[in-house]
Amino acid sequence: MGRSRHVITDSTNNKCRYYALHIKVNQAHKRKFDSKGVEIEPNFSETQKVNTGYLMSSYKTEAKGKTDKLQTSEVEAIVNKPALLELTAKHRPANCLTFWVEEKEMDKIELENEDVIRIKTQGDGPFLFSVAKLDLQSHTVGNYAGGEEVGATWTDKVFAAKDRDSPQQSTSQEGMGADEDEWDD
């Protein structure tokens, strides 16, 4: 992965700052949406495991249908836009595709050139909706860009809810412990 920074000025002299991420695509899937515009999970595999035993103790493999996996050439045809390619041609390493993300989104994530990332695009184009850095040793997603709620961990959400729901601590000693009349001998 490589990156380059670009400032694009529109006809009204508004400047937008972008990072162009030059990424070697290992695996890609076509995103699908229903009639209301809600994303439907793509078919990642041609088969699926179906539980057959009591308490999910055994399973069998069934055909699921055609996978939504895309070849790199198909991804290239979808995301490459001639006007943007002119800007990044000299910066782009061989066998990489260029994806664009706003500079302010990149402030939320720390990426190195060797990092493995998972991205989602905004529709059929080169602009990114979200970027997630993968930790290959623990097989988890560790660092996100694309909105505050995207990268919040489950633990962070629990502690935030606990802080929000807990009653305020009183500073007086009244009511602490058992009252005298509660002691039975």
Side-chain angles (χ1 to χ4, degrees), residues 92-156:
R92 187 174 68 167
N95 301 322
C96 288
L97 297 178
T98 301
F99 295 90
W100 293 75
V101 62
E102 287 187 55
E103 188 176 66
K104 64 183 177 184
E105 294 297 323
M106 289 300 292
D107 290 342
K108 301 174 187 176
I109 189 169
E110 194 172 308
L111 291 177
E112 301 294 327
N113 285 344
E114 302 83 30
D115 288 339
V116 177
I117 61 174
R118 180 178 294 154
I119 62 173
K120 275 190 177 182
T121 60
Q122 296 176 8
D124 289 341
F127 293 94
L128 297 183
F129 174 71
S130 68
V131 179
K133 184 164 83 170
L134 301 176
D135 181 1
L136 294 180
Q137 293 181 338
S138 65
H139 298 287
T140 59
V141 179
N143 201 345
Y144 282 93
E148 292 177 24
E149 71 284 347
V150 173
T153 66
W154 184 81
T155 309
D156 294 339

Side-chain angles (χ1 to χ4, degrees), residues 4-72:
S4 55
R5 290 181 63 201
H6 301 270
V7 177
I8 299 177
T9 307
D10 65 11
S11 59
T12 60
N13 277 341
N14 289 329
K15 291 183 179 182
C16 297
R17 298 179 189 279
Y18 288 93
Y19 275 104
L21 300 179
H22 311 291
I23 301 170
K24 183 176 181 181
V25 177
N26 292 333
Q27 191 177 65
H29 295 274
K30 179 77 174 161
R31 293 174 71 193
K32 294 192 271 186
F33 298 89
D34 66 9
S35 60
K36 295 177 184 174
V38 178
E39 186 173 5
I40 302 169
E41 184 173 322
N43 187 2
F44 292 111
S45 174
E46 293 179 354
T47 59
Q48 65 182 356
K49 291 181 180 181
V50 178
N51 294 322
T52 58
Y54 182 68
L55 296 176
M56 297 192 273
S57 61
S58 61
Y59 64 91
K60 65 180 180 178
T61 304
E62 288 184 349
K64 189 175 180 181
K66 187 178 180 207
T67 180
D68 293 322
K69 189 173 182 177
L70 297 173
Q71 300 298 320
T72 304

